[in-house]
């Protein structure tokens, strides 16, 4: 019997966090690395939000907060749901957490018994599967390749449900692909869950990238697309991406009051609550001016277009144009089996990403980490100049393969 608990052998460190740390480490050593690994906007937190955080500290709002989150924040979250999504929640249906990740963690801890199945369309954000595994759940991963627009179909969903299914995990706009489900697509998935045989399945929808959409795409979330699923849906969101508040760690969930109560109980026995002054900054973010979003999205869109066109010009790569988030997920099928100048065979997306880092100093995340190969993820939430340089290097790296 080892000292470390068995459950730790079921999971690995977050690959997205690991790639970011590796790129930063190389940079600190003076290596010329362009980091396209982190899913983190390069924009700063807007001033009015920072000021609200500083003001809260100055006013002494630095004591323990209540485990569900401070009431003014939960009220602001309710206003947000009403305003943006036409969803009516009350504060007792809201739980705040230290980022989206902890909120998902709480939701699964509160619901997943050993062997319970969690349907996770792949490619998926790296932490969904590992959080389910930590809870002794069984991730049921369904491949949704580029040909399917990286989206789950109603038939795939119907075939995946078993009596043990607890959750369907949705994430739109998606990390890592940027793919977005339309309202009709969500309605079609919801229709499957409304079938009598599937009445036991709940939906966890991670809407973290809600505000980062392009080309007039209209964001929709499943509890709004299909009101009959409202009571079976846990709607997750957070401040990290839209408000460039990644390091503040603030996420939230809205759903059935009993589930929320259990999630709050977990907060009370773990983190107590996110930092109180951070929550006050969250109130300013949610209630404040949102005009910066359109400006930032316009920049993201230019970058997306640049990256997609430069990647499609690289030998062996193919890249879809996503409607949201700040990621692209190009296929590298065309370089698999080729050799690098030093004779190494590219035998998968991990080898390709390693080659990009070693040969050209470009850090990306391999597709296998997101459950679907052979692809890799690029985050274009970095400067346009850096992206242009990185894509030029990727093109050069691809040319050198034989
Ligand atoms: N969600 C971001 C990403 O995918 C941040 C890192 C993480 O928490 O995974 O890169």
């Amino acid at each position: 019997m080892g000292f470390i608990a068995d459950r730790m052998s079921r999971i690995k460190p977050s690959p997205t966090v690991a790639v970011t740390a590796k790129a930063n480490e190389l940079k600190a050593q003076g290596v010329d690395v362009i980091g396209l690994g982190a899913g983190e906007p390069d924009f700063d937190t807007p001033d009015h939000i920072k000021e609200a955080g500083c003001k809260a500290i100055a006013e002494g709002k630095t004591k323990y907060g209540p485990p569900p989150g401070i009431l003014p924040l939960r009220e602001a979250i309710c206003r947000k749901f009403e305003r943006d999504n036409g969803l009516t929640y009350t504060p007792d249906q809201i739980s705040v957490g230290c980022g989206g990740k902890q909120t998902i963690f709480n939701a699964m801890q509160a619901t997943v018994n050993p062997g319970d199945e969690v349907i996770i369309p792949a490619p998926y954000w790296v932490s969904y599967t590992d959080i389910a595994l930590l809870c002794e759940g069984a991730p049921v991963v369904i491949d949704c390749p580029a040909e399917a627009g990286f989206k789950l179909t109603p038939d795939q969903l119907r075939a995946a449900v078993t009596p043990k299914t607890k959750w369907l995990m949705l994430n739109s706009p998606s990390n890592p692909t940027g793919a977005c489900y339309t309202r009709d697509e969500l309605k079609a998935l919801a229709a499957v869950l409304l079938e009598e045989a599937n009445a036991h399945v709940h939906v966890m929808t991670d809407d973290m990238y809600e505000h980062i959409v392009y080309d007039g795409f209209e964001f929709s979330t499943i509890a709004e697309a299909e009101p009959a699923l409202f009571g079976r849906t846990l709607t997750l969101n957070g401040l990290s991406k839209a408000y460039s508040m990644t390091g503040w760690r603030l996420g939230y969930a809205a759903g059935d009051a009993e589930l929320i109560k259990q999630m709050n109980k977990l907060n009370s026995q773990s983190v107590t609550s996110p930092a109180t002054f951070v929550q006050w900054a969250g109130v300013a973010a949610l209630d404040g001016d949102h005009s910066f979003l359109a400006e930032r999205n316009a920049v993201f869109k230019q970058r997306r277009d640049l990256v997609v066109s430069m990647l499609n010009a690289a030998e062996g790569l193919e890249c879809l144009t996503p409607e949201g988030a700040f990621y692209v997920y190009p296929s590298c099928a065309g370089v698999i089996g080729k050799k690098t100048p030093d004779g190494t065979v590219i035998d998968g997306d991990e080898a390709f990403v390693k080659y990009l880092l070693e040969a050209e100093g470009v850090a990306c995340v391999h597709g296998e980490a997101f459950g679907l190969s052979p692809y890799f993820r690029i985050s274009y939430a970095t400067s346009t100049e850096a992206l242009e340089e990185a894509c030029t290097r990727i093109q050069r790296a691809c040319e050198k393969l034989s």
Side-chain angles (χ1 to χ4, degrees), residues 111-149:
T111 54
V112 174
N113 282 316
D116 281 353
E117 293 173 1
V118 181
I119 297 176
I120 304 176
Y124 48 74
W125 179 47
V126 295
S127 295
Y128 298 151
T129 42
D130 280 25
I131 292 174
L133 288 169
L134 257 188
C135 301
E136 297 184 58
V140 175
V141 173
I142 306 180
D143 286 359
C144 305
E147 302 76 62

Side-chain angles (χ1 to χ4, degrees), residues 261-276:
K261 205 166 114 192
Q262 299 303 326
M263 291 170 66
N264 294 340
K265 197 199 300 182
L266 281 165
N267 267 356
S268 83
Q269 292 289 17
S270 54
V271 295
T272 303
S273 77
T276 311

Side-chain angles (χ1 to χ4, degrees), residues 334-362:
V335 302
I336 306 297
K338 289 190 176 177
K339 277 192 190 144
T340 66
D342 72 5
T344 310
V345 177
I346 303 286
D347 60 2
D349 50 34
E350 189 162 11
F352 180 60
V353 161
K354 189 164 176 267
Y355 165 62
L356 289 181
L357 184 61
E358 284 169 2
E360 293 288 352
V362 177

Side-chain angles (χ1 to χ4, degrees), residues 312-392:
N312 278 323
E315 223 175 296
L317 304 186
E318 266 181 77
C319 186
L320 292 184
T321 303
E323 303 95 343
F326 38 64
Y327 306 108
V328 288
Y329 200 63
S331 162
C332 55
V335 302
I336 306 297
K338 289 190 176 177
K339 277 192 190 144
T340 66
D342 72 5
T344 310
V345 177
I346 303 286
D347 60 2
D349 50 34
E350 189 162 11
F352 180 60
V353 161
K354 189 164 176 267
Y355 165 62
L356 289 181
L357 184 61
E358 284 169 2
E360 293 288 352
V362 177
C364 314
V365 189
H366 57 294
E368 194 254 321
F370 304 97
L372 195 73
S373 293
Y375 297 88
F376 61 108
R377 185 187 83 171
I378 284 182
S379 162
Y380 54 86
T382 192
S383 79
T384 308
E385 301 75 59
L387 287 169
E388 204 162 354
E389 171 63 20
C391 290
T392 304

Side-chain angles (χ1 to χ4, degrees), residues 163-174:
K164 286 185 166 177
T165 308
K166 192 133 245 177
W167 290 106
L168 162 66
M169 195 77 219
L170 287 178
N171 174 217
S172 166
S174 149

Side-chain angles (χ1 to χ4, degrees), residues 14-17 20 37-40 101 125-127 175-176 208-209 241 246 249 326-327 365 370 377 379:
S14 163
T16 48
V17 174
T20 310
E40 174 167 59
K101 202 181 281 183
W125 179 47
V126 295
S127 295
N175 176 3
M208 186 61 87
Y209 297 88
K241 313 296 182 177
T246 46
R249 312 309 301 131
F326 38 64
Y327 306 108
V365 189
F370 304 97
R377 185 187 83 171
S379 162

